[in-house]
Amino acid sequence: MEVYCTRPHCPRPQNNFPDLDDIATLRTIQQKYCTTCGMPLILVGRYLPTKVLGRGGFGAAFLARDRYTPGMRHCVVKQFLPAGNLSPTQMQLAQDLFEREAVALEELGNKNEQIPNLYAYFPLPVPSLHPGHEDQFFYLVLEYIDGQNLEEELAQKGKFSEPEVLEVLQEILKILRFVHSKGIIHRDIKPSNIMRRRDGKIFLLDFGAVKQVTNAPIGAATSTGIYSMGFAPPEQMAGGQVFPSTDLYALAVTAVMLLTGEPITELFDVYNNQWKWRMQVSVSPRLAEVLDKMLLSAANQRFQSAQEVLDALDSRNVPIPSTTITPLQPQPQKQQLGSSRQPFSLLEILGGAAFSGFEGGLIAIALLSLLKSPIITLAASALILGILIFAQTRRWIEKWDLVIISAISFAIVLFVPFLHSVTQWTVLPFASGLIAIALTSLFRLIYKLLSLLL
């Protein structure tokens, strides 16, 4: 069995112990030590790290086995590991944040099934590599979520569709609604801190930068300067007060990154201090308006709670009330809610094509029976059909209107004998509808291919 040494900067942290492959030995052995640096490997006699999962500014995470559980349960062991040369004040701050994560997870994890449970928190003093000194390490043991974080998922599959982003938004907003109700602000929401378990369930991870605001006046929580660049709003980057809307800003940045598949540096215009994500992707006006409001520079102009965002995303609700936009966040006019039309879905496009083809066939039958001139019939049919297509693009007729108009016009041609011949009315309208669907699909495919190439 391979056991991973958790001592920082150990030159050869992988240790292989064949005797630990025997379950009986694994459960009873007292301790194992790193063959390179002598670090105790079985943490507090219970947890065996098997590989490193990642390293960050203030910690390293390891996949581990818990030998005190019947199935040798997988868990995550997080070690307090500040990087760089920190001052005593910065070191104390980082340690406080790590301990705060334990407090938050104990309070939150057991009450919300989308936040990992905290299993243990312990300090571990060990002999230093320097004789006569002792090193002190701190560990958290957390529930292991077997899956991929959204940063990994984005790299693997490419940008997310609008329904996929809406799912992420709604799930994380529900978690934030719970977290904020406990007086806690996460302060480090980003794709790598959102995990999708193999069964599809979404979790919010890494509460190492949480800020308690319980028992503090509203707005009295201040930022410590620990955040992820690009995801933090202005008030957090300036080291000022943080709010629930601080998390909503970071969540909106996360959503924009998933939608576009672009790094944050490509989505924010530093020179003009503007988000320019809308030109990168086409989404429904409602989602665009919600994200733009979450991304406003002024904290008091954003949504003030996760529930407000959930309500705004609900398509049954009325349009989002207009919000005064600061000069630093101008909104493109063509995408404003209420000034643009809902984009057509694929079903609507193909349904409209079928309707247009079917009606074109019926119109041709009727006019040819009345006018007896193929040329005049073709011109008149094209004019009427153009009017019908224009009405669809303006949404003057849509959905059930198409079915009703088709049924009425078919009934007229069917029951007025001089408007048809038997062969024409049984074949032409349906053939025209199928041809229209085929041509529409072909042109749409060509358009998609050209869009990708150009």
Side-chain angles (χ1 to χ4, degrees):
M1 180 179 182
E2 189 171 271
V3 186
Y4 202 96
C5 175
T6 62
R7 189 191 295 274
H9 313 301
C10 176
R12 289 198 300 272
Q14 293 91 347
N15 296 266
N16 189 34
F17 299 102
D19 59 322
L20 294 185
D21 293 333
D22 179 70
I23 293 296
T25 302
L26 181 61
R27 292 191 184 281
T28 57
I29 195 166
Q30 292 298 307
Q31 185 56 274
K32 286 285 188 180
Y33 297 90
C34 178
T35 56
T36 301
C37 71
M39 174 79 173
L41 297 176
I42 306 178
L43 304 176
V44 292
R46 178 170 182 171
Y47 303 104
L48 291 89
T50 57
K51 69 175 183 178
V52 64
L53 294 175
R55 298 185 186 275
F58 290 94
F62 305 88
L63 180 64
R65 305 294 295 269
D66 182 355
R67 68 172 183 161
Y68 285 2
T69 57
M72 299 286 291
R73 177 178 62 192
H74 279 103
C75 55
V76 174
V77 171
K78 291 186 68 175
Q79 180 192 51
F80 170 51
L81 179 63
N85 297 319
L86 300 183
S87 67
T89 301
Q90 291 173 319
M91 178 69 76
Q92 185 60 49
L93 170 62
Q95 183 176 327
D96 289 346
L97 287 172
F98 199 71
E99 292 176 355
R100 188 178 295 141
E101 179 173 10
V103 173
L105 285 173
E106 185 175 40
E107 181 178 355
L108 300 177
N110 294 329
K111 297 178 182 178
N112 189 294
E113 58 182 12
Q114 291 175 276
I115 297 174
N117 286 319
L118 174 71
Y119 294 145
Y121 169 67
F122 53 88
L124 182 65
V126 297
S128 173
L129 294 178
H130 304 288
H133 292 81
E134 183 179 76
D135 292 329
Q136 179 94 335
F137 300 108
F138 296 86
Y139 295 88
L140 289 174
V141 183
L142 305 168
E143 176 185 4
Y144 172 59
I145 308 301
D146 186 13
Q148 272 189 321
N149 67 51
L150 296 192
E151 184 177 65
E152 296 168 334
E153 193 173 322
L154 181 64
Q156 178 179 317
K157 68 183 277 291
K159 62 184 180 181
F160 285 41
S161 67
E162 181 171 340
E164 289 173 329
V165 169
L166 279 171
E167 178 198 10
V168 171
L169 279 173
Q170 289 166 343
E171 291 302 310
I172 299 302
L173 285 166
K174 292 173 186 176
I175 301 172
L176 288 179
R177 179 176 59 188
F178 168 76
V179 170
H180 293 165
S181 73
K182 300 298 182 182
I184 291 174
I185 299 173
H186 187 283
R187 296 193 310 119
D188 197 23
I189 294 174
K190 55 186 177 180
S192 60
N193 283 341
I194 300 174
M195 178 75 75
R196 191 193 305 275
R197 201 168 61 187
R198 290 187 183 274
D199 62 2
K201 192 168 188 176
I202 292 176
F203 290 76
L204 181 58
L205 311 182
D206 199 356
F207 282 74
V210 297
K211 185 68 180 180
Q212 293 275 5
V213 294
T214 310
N215 302 324
I218 295 176
T222 57
S223 174
T224 60
I226 298 173
Y227 51 79
S228 294
M229 186 66 69
F231 294 89
E235 70 271 11
Q236 188 175 3
M237 294 184 66
Q241 299 173 346
V242 292
F243 314 89
S245 64
T246 302
D247 282 344
L248 300 181
Y249 181 100
L251 180 58
V253 177
T254 296
V256 164
M257 184 175 176
L258 297 177
L259 278 170
T260 62
E262 299 287 343
I264 299 303
T265 53
E266 298 296 322
L267 300 173
F268 189 79
D269 184 347
V270 179
Y271 184 78
N272 292 307
N273 200 28
Q274 298 173 8
W275 286 99
K276 55 180 182 180
W277 71 274
R278 281 202 183 194
M279 63 184 68
Q280 304 284 342
V281 66
S282 176
V283 297
S284 64
R286 178 171 292 275
L287 177 58
E289 187 75 8
V290 168
L291 292 177
D292 280 340
K293 186 169 181 178
M294 294 169 73
L295 289 170
L296 291 174
S297 294
N300 66 344
Q301 291 183 355
R302 301 177 206 137
F303 295 100
Q304 296 303 296
S305 71
Q307 186 59 53
E308 285 186 19
V309 185
L310 285 168
D311 291 341
L313 289 172
D314 190 340
S315 60
R316 296 169 297 179
N317 289 332
V318 297
I320 304 163
S322 60
T323 303
T324 302
I325 307 297
T326 67
L328 299 181
Q329 296 288 342
Q331 307 300 303
Q333 294 298 317
K334 64 178 181 179
Q335 292 278 356
Q336 288 297 316
L337 188 63
S339 64
S340 57
R341 296 180 185 85
Q342 182 76 15
F344 289 95
S345 66
L346 178 59
L347 183 61
E348 287 178 314
I349 292 172
L350 296 181
F355 167 77
S356 301
F358 186 82
E359 282 299 302
L362 291 177
I363 292 169
I365 293 171
L367 292 179
L368 188 60
S369 301
L370 291 171
L371 302 175
K372 308 299 183 181
S373 171
I375 296 177
I376 298 176
T377 296
L378 182 61
S381 298
L383 177 61
I384 297 173
L385 192 57
I387 294 172
L388 289 175
I389 293 174
F390 179 75
Q392 291 179 70
T393 62
R394 306 297 293 182
R395 292 192 179 275
W396 294 340
I397 55 174
E398 60 178 347
K399 299 179 181 177
W400 287 107
D401 300 335
L402 308 182
V403 178
I404 295 170
I405 293 172
S406 298
I408 293 173
S409 55
F410 184 74
I412 292 173
V413 174
L414 179 64
F415 292 109
V416 178
F418 66 84
L419 291 180
H420 65 80
S421 68
V422 174
T423 302
Q424 287 173 322
W425 73 258
T426 55
V427 176
L428 186 56
F430 296 100
S432 299
L434 292 175
I435 292 171
I437 292 174
L439 289 175
T440 301
S441 300
L442 178 61
F443 282 119
R444 189 172 184 274
L445 176 60
I446 293 172
Y447 174 78
K448 290 280 188 181
L449 291 174
L450 289 176
S451 299
L452 291 174
L453 293 175
L454 300 178

